[in-house]
Amino acid sequence: MKKDVLAVADLSHDEITRVLSRAAELKSGRTSSSARPLSGRSVGLLFEKPSTRTRVSFEVGAFQLGAQPVCLSISDLQLGRGETVSDTARTLSRYLDAIVIRTSAHERLEVFAEAASIPVVNGLSDRHHPCQALADILTMQEKKGRLKGLRVAFIGDGNNVCNSLIEAASRMEFNLTVACPEGFEPDAGTLSAAQAGASAEIVVLRDPREAAGMADVVYTDVWVSMGQELEAEEKRKKFRDYQINSRLLSCAKNDVTVLHCLPAHRGEEITDEVIDGAHSAVFDQAENRLHVQKALMELILP
Ligand code: CP
Ligand code: NVA
């Protein structure tokens, strides 16, 4: 059966552990760089929204594994002229071995995956960003030496990145506190499913200082996600107290690691001082997108 990865919850604890361990192996260079395990395969990259990290790391990763990346933009496809998502999925399945899709509505991804006979990977939707969460947890594991029992604070919008982190916390048993303004909570269904199956503590509260208290990792993302530009001014006002700055960081552990999925809106959700400071691991986190996605492609294309 094909293996879709539309959310972190599509991966078991064992599958995530395999991805992390293979990603670490690939990163270390312990495997021969001439090994081309995906030689002869083709991976589609369909992006309906801008991307720097996801598209480039998948394209380079596929190339490094010997696969042919095929970059597709909606304006070049008949999809942009009204061909249905299902017909596009059925057609592309005849050419490609897997496809990564970045789109707005998560449901569009589900429709594509349902019609496709090849594995579909979510490269970001309005609800989930699973590839990001895999890189996040690899970075935490590298910096802290473990995942189980860590205290992680996500401070900001309960968005796609936050939802995927919640599912990762549930699967990998780290404690996660989300601090967000009222009305910007993570997806209720994702949260309750993650809490139900979790041995770790996953809580949502209002006070960013309480969330940051004694945290091993402090994480944030933009307040205004792609497609939310019309709400930007309103959101900026509501999130004013949720900025990751030195004062907020002083509530966390002395050796706290700071994460941000990037792109950052410097001076909004995070200050220059923090993102460029000694605790920041944001560029290691960005690099880790490449390693985890290579491991993920190997997993879904055995
Ligand atoms: N973090 C992330 O997904 O970045 P891009 O939007 O640049 O792909
Ligand atoms: N929450 C952000 C993440 C960007 C990688 C967005 O959806 O725009």
Side-chain angles (χ1 to χ4, degrees):
M1 210 176 94
K2 73 178 178 123
K3 177 82 191 164
D4 295 323
V5 182
L6 305 192
V8 172
D10 291 330
L11 296 167
S12 65
H13 178 278
D14 284 358
E15 286 170 332
I16 296 176
T17 304
R18 269 169 60 196
V19 166
L20 294 182
S21 127
R22 178 63 177 150
E25 187 179 40
L26 289 163
K27 183 173 183 176
S28 73
R30 285 197 300 276
T31 52
S32 157
S33 60
S34 61
R36 296 280 183 266
L38 300 188
S39 174
R41 310 288 190 95
S42 298
V43 178
L45 304 173
L46 171 52
F47 280 68
E48 298 183 343
K49 285 178 163 185
S51 169
T52 297
R53 281 142 287 270
T54 310
R55 197 190 62 77
V56 177
S57 55
F58 263 114
E59 187 170 352
V60 170
F63 167 77
Q64 290 177 354
L65 294 174
Q68 166 77 53
V70 182
C71 292
L72 306 161
S73 84
I74 184 162
S75 56
D76 298 333
L77 295 174
Q78 297 289 6
L79 187 60
R81 293 183 55 251
E83 185 167 16
T84 67
V85 171
S86 301
D87 287 351
T88 306
R90 291 169 70 183
T91 305
L92 292 179
S93 295
R94 304 291 179 110
Y95 311 135
L96 300 168
D97 295 288
I99 188 162
V100 180
I101 302 178
R102 171 169 287 196
T103 192
S104 299
H106 192 74
E107 291 72 21
R108 191 168 163 85
L109 208 53
E110 291 173 335
V111 171
F112 195 108
E114 179 70 29
S117 57
I118 54 172
V120 177
V121 175
N122 180 358
L124 180 145
S125 67
D126 59 355
R127 216 179 310 149
H128 294 282
H129 197 1
C131 300
Q132 181 64 54
L134 292 173
D136 302 340
I137 58 180
L138 177 61
T139 313
M140 290 182 208
Q141 196 171 65
E142 286 173 347
K143 301 294 171 194
K144 300 295 170 200
R146 68 194 165 106
L147 289 173
K148 193 169 177 174
L150 280 183
R151 298 193 68 80
V152 180
F154 182 94
I155 296 171
D157 193 14
N159 60 16
N160 42 12
V161 168
C162 179
N163 290 331
S164 288
L165 198 65
I166 286 172
E167 291 191 338
S170 175
R171 280 284 188 268
M172 304 313 285
E173 302 173 358
F174 58 87
N175 302 303
L176 178 63
T177 305
V178 176
C180 61
E182 193 178 350
F184 297 94
E185 292 81 9
D187 178 67
T190 301
L191 180 64
S192 56
Q195 284 170 328
S199 59
E201 202 178 72
I202 303 173
V203 293
V204 178
L205 46 72
R206 298 276 167 253
D207 182 1
R209 295 178 69 85
E210 189 181 341
M214 295 311 284
D216 295 293
V217 175
V218 170
Y219 193 158
T220 192
D221 182 17
V222 289
W223 295 337
V224 182
S225 284
M226 289 180 274
Q228 298 181 336
E229 290 73 16
L230 290 177
E231 309 154 49
E233 270 323 299
E234 190 71 5
K235 280 191 100 173
R236 282 190 192 107
K237 278 187 216 142
K238 292 188 173 148
F239 281 83
R240 215 175 28 216
D241 297 335
Y242 289 79
Q243 184 186 67
I244 310 294
N245 50 38
S246 301
R247 200 150 44 96
L248 183 57
L249 213 56
S250 67
C251 304
K253 284 194 181 152
N254 289 336
D255 65 347
V256 63
T257 295
V258 174
L259 298 182
H260 190 309
C261 59
L262 303 176
H265 289 175
R266 289 166 173 259
E268 274 186 31
E269 76 276 2
I270 194 162
T271 58
D272 283 335
E273 190 182 20
V274 170
I275 199 168
D276 295 327
H279 295 283
S280 171
V282 302
F283 294 105
D284 294 326
Q285 186 185 2
E287 178 188 330
N288 283 339
R289 297 294 303 276
L290 173 67
H291 308 300
V292 294
Q293 288 162 195
K294 284 170 74 178
L296 188 66
M297 284 188 275
E298 286 188 358
L299 181 86
I300 62 169
L301 288 173

